[in-house]
Amino acid sequence: MNISEFKLFLAKSAYAPKEILEILSKDEDCDVRASVAQNLNAPKEILWMLAKDKDSVVRISVTKNKNVTKEILEILAKDKNYSVRSFVAKNLNAPKEILKILAKDEDLDVRASVAKNSNVKEILEILAKDKTLNVRTAVVQNLNASKEILEMLAKDKDSWVRESVAKNPKTSKKILEILAKDENYWVRESVAKNPNTSKKILGFVNLLQKH
C-alpha cells in the first residue's frame, strides 16, 4: 500500500479520529477529500469547509453524508454546479423548503431529482406540470404520486409519461381502463402488465394488441 492508498484508507475509515480527518480534508488529492466528506466521523466544521471545496466531486460527497446539516444543504442548494444541486435534491434529509426551491431550478436534472425524492408529496403537484418530459415521468414513477396526479398525467401529450402511468402499481383500474384504449402500443402493453389490471381490461388490451 503506497502513501496515496493509505491516505484514502484513512479518509474512509470509521475509526479515523477527528484530528486525522482534519488533516486529510486539506489533502491535495480530491479523492481523499471526497472520502473525508462522506465519512460519518467528519465533524460539522469539516463538512462546512468541504462544502466550499473547489472540486464539485468533493461538494457532492458532502451531500451524501448522512450527518450533513440543513444549513450546509442550503448552501449547496445554491451551488453553481447543477450536479451538486441535483444531489442535494436527492438527499432524503433535505428540508421541504430547499426542495421547493430546487423544484423550480433552471436545470431539468435537478427538478427530476426532486421528483424522484421519496420524501416529496405536495411538491409533486408542481412538478407534474413541468414543461420537461423527464421531470413529469419522474413524478409518475414516484410512489407518492397521488391519484389526482396519475389521472392528470394519464392524459399527457407524451406517450412516455402515459406509459409510466400505466406501469405505476398505484394506478387505479379506472385510469388503466382509459389507458387500455391508448393509441400507443407500449402504453397498452404496460397496462396489460400492471397488477391492477382486471381480466376484462386485459382481454380488451390483448384483442387490440393483435391488430
Side-chain angles (χ1 to χ4, degrees):
M1 183 183 290
N2 59 38
I3 186 64
S4 295
E5 291 172 335
F6 183 64
K7 286 192 291 185
L8 201 55
F9 169 78
L10 282 177
K12 294 178 180 179
S13 175
Y15 302 101
K18 175 185 172 182
E19 294 76 18
I20 295 295
L21 291 177
E22 191 170 353
I23 294 169
L24 293 174
S25 68
K26 299 169 186 173
D27 195 86
E28 61 181 10
D29 187 338
C30 72
D31 288 336
V32 172
R33 301 196 307 276
S35 295
V36 171
Q38 290 190 62
N39 194 311
L40 295 180
N41 285 339
K44 186 170 67 174
E45 298 76 26
I46 289 178
L47 293 181
W48 265 110
M49 183 185 74
L50 294 174
K52 300 169 187 174
D53 195 275
K54 63 180 181 179
D55 199 303
S56 62
V57 173
V58 177
R59 303 196 302 276
I60 286 172
S61 295
V62 174
T63 72
K64 296 178 181 179
N65 193 308
K66 292 180 181 178
N67 294 330
V68 65
T69 64
K70 172 186 171 182
E71 292 75 22
I72 294 174
L73 287 176
E74 282 177 353
I75 295 293
L76 293 172
K78 300 170 186 174
D79 198 277
K80 61 183 179 181
N81 187 297
Y82 80 91
S83 293
V84 177
R85 301 196 304 276
S86 185
F87 272 92
V88 172
K90 292 175 185 178
N91 192 302
L92 296 180
N93 294 322
K96 287 182 180 178
E97 314 89 76
I98 292 176
L99 293 175
K100 281 182 180 178
I101 293 170
L102 293 175
K104 299 174 184 175
D105 195 275
E106 62 182 6
D107 189 273
L108 70 90
D109 287 335
V110 176
R111 302 196 304 275
S113 293
V114 175
K116 292 174 185 176
N117 192 310
S118 59
N119 281 341
V120 299
K121 290 185 180 180
E122 297 86 356
I123 301 172
L124 291 177
E125 294 177 15
I126 298 169
L127 294 169
K129 299 170 185 173
D130 196 275
K131 62 183 178 181
T132 309
L133 158 68
N134 289 4
V135 177
R136 300 197 305 278
T137 302
V139 169
V140 173
Q141 293 170 346
N142 191 315
L143 293 180
N144 288 329
S146 66
K147 175 185 173 183
E148 291 74 23
I149 287 175
L150 293 176
E151 196 167 344
M152 179 182 77
L153 293 177
K155 302 169 188 173
D156 196 273
K157 62 182 179 181
D158 199 289
S159 62
W160 282 102
V161 179
R162 302 197 303 276
E163 184 181 338
S164 293
V165 175
K167 289 178 179 178
N168 192 307
K170 288 181 67 181
T171 299
S172 67
K173 289 181 181 178
K174 176 186 173 184
I175 297 173
L176 289 171
E177 190 170 353
I178 295 169
L179 292 172
K181 303 167 188 173
D182 197 274
E183 62 183 7
N184 184 278
Y185 175 91
W186 296 109
V187 173
R188 300 194 303 270
E189 191 70 13
S190 295
V191 170
K193 294 177 181 178
N194 192 301
N196 294 330
T197 299
S198 66
K199 289 182 179 179
K200 178 183 176 182
I201 298 173
L202 185 58
F204 180 77
V205 171
N206 288 336
L207 187 64
L208 282 178
Q209 298 300 70
K210 292 176 183 178
H211 292 84

